[in-house]
Amino acid sequence: MKQLQEVLKKEKYKKIKFKVTKTQHLMIRASINGVKGSFILDTGASNSCVGFEGIELFGLKAGKSKTKAAGAGASNMFTQLAKDNTMQIGRWKTHDFHLVIFDLSHVNQALTHHKAKAVQGIIGADVLLEGKAIIDYYNHYLYLK
């Protein structure tokens, strides 16, 4: 596994630690517009998103969205869109980043029901694709370029 880490370091990947919760979710810390939060790392989520509480917390400029969100246990949910944000995960950073905003209460209810901590959002495939992500599940590292 050290060989992988050395190769990725040479390729200028950033190494970011994540935790696995009691619910088997991958939990990662990230900041949006300089404000830190806890996020689920979700390879099945097409877009990164935050709950409606995140509008004020992360200083988002929420705008209209025609998209309806769907996820585990919920569908056809009203969304908003926040454009031109900065996201940082570890030492990896992206600018002009768009976030979907929707009701995450069903996600957080499920987490707290299983005695896991609530989250501010979800890191989705948009970040993973932009960062050319490699996930080392065994050692609990996310690599982003």
Side-chain angles (χ1 to χ4, degrees):
M1 205 46 70
K2 281 201 179 224
Q3 289 177 324
L4 173 65
Q5 291 179 16
E6 290 169 14
V7 168
L8 294 176
K9 188 174 183 177
K10 285 180 187 173
E11 292 295 320
K12 307 229 186 282
Y13 273 84
K14 309 292 190 236
K15 179 177 160 183
I16 303 131
K17 187 79 171 162
F18 64 81
K19 294 181 180 179
V20 180
T21 68
K22 297 173 189 174
T23 57
Q24 296 299 303
H25 288 94
L26 308 183
M27 202 65 69
I28 197 158
R29 299 284 294 165
S31 62
I32 299 172
N33 300 328
V35 179
K36 292 181 182 178
S38 293
F39 295 82
I40 292 174
L41 183 61
D42 187 348
T43 61
S46 55
N47 295 93
S48 295
C49 56
V50 296
F52 286 120
E53 316 75 45
I55 295 171
E56 187 175 334
L57 176 66
F58 297 116
L60 304 176
K61 294 177 186 155
K64 293 181 181 179
S65 172
K66 294 179 183 176
T67 305
K68 296 288 184 183
S75 62
N76 206 28
M77 294 182 289
F78 169 77
T79 66
Q80 290 183 290
L81 186 64
K83 297 181 178 181
D84 305 323
N85 299 286
T86 300
M87 176 177 279
Q88 184 167 348
I89 306 171
R91 292 181 294 128
W92 182 85
K93 196 172 194 176
T94 184
H95 302 279
D96 301 323
F97 188 72
H98 300 345
L99 286 159
V100 173
I101 305 165
F102 75 106
D103 184 3
L104 276 179
S105 63
H106 68 288
V107 172
N108 281 322
Q109 283 174 357
L111 289 170
T112 56
H113 177 75
H114 292 284
K115 297 183 177 31
K117 292 182 180 176
V119 296
Q120 285 74 49
I122 296 169
I123 304 295
D126 51 352
V127 167
L128 301 175
L129 289 167
E130 182 179 334
K132 300 177 182 173
I134 296 171
I135 302 174
D136 177 354
Y137 287 94
Y138 183 77
N139 292 301
H140 300 173
Y141 285 111
L142 167 68
Y143 294 90
L144 295 172
K145 185 172 186 176

